[in-house]
Amino acid sequence: MNPLHMLGWDQAISVQDESQFARVITVQKNSYQVSDGETEYIAHVSGRFLNEATDTLDFPAVGDWVKVQKLKMEKKAVITGLLARKSAFIRQAAGFKTEAQVVAANMDYVLIVHSLNHDLNVRRMERYILSTYESGASPIIVLTKADQCSLDDVEQAIEKIEEVAIGIPIVPISSITGQGLEQLVPYIEKGKTIVLLGSSGVGKSTLINVWMERDVQVTQTIREDDSKGRHTTTHRELFLLPNGAMVIDTPGMRELQLWDGDTALDTTFQDIEAFAEACKFRDCQHETEPGCRVQEAIAVGELSEGRYQSYLKLQRELAFEQRRQDQKAKLLEKSKWKQITKQQKSHYKQTKKK
């Protein structure tokens, strides 16, 4: 068996030598750790790769498959290419720059992890669900620390989440007692890749330690005084589980700014879309028009006002983000042609002198 298949190699490409490829295990600043299933290498991108990259999306992320030139004796490698991603969880990078950040790539499932002893924020969960659908992977809601809550509290949390996670599996677990862990078994099959996303201190690293059957990640608890999670995981890393599945651990996210999501908005808010299709007028703005099924659903309690306002807010946010990205693209294109013109003028002057 080719060692790459141990890491989930399922690329639908024809290659003569699969030994030229590896999977990105960790990313730290400008260096990468990659594996070919037999050996791990410290890697960096080639000069040509660096020159041809035009965007942060062009650079490798954890979970990516890359083409490499290996220096086996030194356990170093040069990344010369990036294979097409089958899925990618992307967010707007923190800060004021319009820049995408690939959190994880080529995963099959996104486990959205939330602690049951922490305040439940369904609006934040909607963002995770939207970005997961946009990524091309399937979302799973995992509610940790069920052992610290009563059965009624767990059932109430599930009921609240079901309103925004339509058709998505919701699994309450305890990494301490083992409660509910068997329900996650179908998602951690051999050859499959999952990524754990959520705030700091919700139990992502603890869950990985359970699956790895040893402590590979440092863990800390949520502070009792303010229910805030302490920052534990410092970088993204892919682990190969004993059963052959792969899991990507990620640092806790304090915020999730959307990068894209237009194509996933309908799926995330399929309940609202269904009401909208039942409106009397096809161009209904869902405000004061007669026969508006959306407003009727809000009035009779079939749809909460909070969920509808969240839907409108995310629509506005995505439209704003698209305008920012379009503006950035125009500025980059303008800068590119200015540089080309400058080079052409310099070449013309040198030619004229000769």
Side-chain angles (χ1 to χ4, degrees), residues 185-217:
V185 171
Y187 310 114
I188 52 171
E189 296 178 328
K190 181 178 181 179
K192 297 294 184 181
T193 301
I194 64 175
V195 58
L196 305 182
L197 297 178
S199 302
S200 295
V202 297
K204 302 188 298 296
S205 296
T206 302
L207 183 56
I208 287 180
N209 288 340
V210 171
W211 283 337
M212 288 292 289
E213 301 173 2
R214 58 191 176 94
D215 290 345
V216 295
Q217 293 289 74

Side-chain angles (χ1 to χ4, degrees), residues 203-353:
K204 302 188 298 296
S205 296
T206 302
L207 183 56
I208 287 180
N209 288 340
V210 171
W211 283 337
M212 288 292 289
E213 301 173 2
R214 58 191 176 94
D215 290 345
V216 295
Q217 293 289 74
V218 177
T219 60
Q220 292 183 2
T221 57
I222 287 180
R223 292 194 300 259
E224 294 182 0
D225 55 346
D226 59 4
S227 294
K228 300 290 185 180
R230 292 189 180 98
H231 187 71
T232 51
T233 302
T234 58
H235 61 277
R236 302 174 189 89
E237 184 170 358
L238 184 147
F239 295 91
L240 178 62
L241 301 184
N243 72 342
M246 284 135 291
V247 57
I248 299 174
D249 193 13
T250 63
M253 291 187 186
R254 293 180 179 176
E255 60 178 352
L256 176 58
Q257 295 186 54
L258 302 179
W259 177 257
D260 200 0
D262 285 341
T263 59
L265 197 64
D266 292 355
T267 305
T268 306
F269 292 92
Q270 53 190 278
D271 51 341
I272 296 178
E273 292 294 326
F275 287 132
E277 289 179 4
C279 288
K280 183 176 181 179
F281 301 104
R282 297 188 64 181
D283 60 347
C284 183
Q285 299 300 304
H286 316 307
E287 294 176 349
T288 58
E289 294 89 345
C292 175
R293 185 68 181 89
V294 173
Q295 288 300 326
E296 178 187 338
I298 294 173
V300 299
E302 293 177 287
L303 175 67
S304 72
E305 179 69 29
R307 180 158 170 81
Y308 181 59
Q309 291 303 321
S310 176
Y311 172 71
L312 297 179
K313 179 182 178 181
L314 292 177
Q315 273 188 328
R316 293 192 296 269
E317 186 174 329
L318 287 169
F320 174 74
E321 185 58 44
Q322 188 60 58
R323 289 194 297 272
R324 287 211 308 173
Q325 292 175 28
D326 290 345
Q327 181 63 23
K328 180 184 178 182
K330 290 177 181 177
L331 292 173
L332 288 174
E333 187 69 13
K334 184 177 180 180
S335 176
K336 169 187 169 183
W337 284 107
K338 282 178 69 176
Q339 185 64 26
I340 291 174
T341 302
K342 184 178 179 181
Q343 291 173 350
Q344 288 176 336
K345 286 181 179 179
S346 176
H347 178 71
Y348 174 76
K349 289 179 180 179
Q350 291 176 2
T351 304
K352 192 173 181 180
K353 286 180 180 178

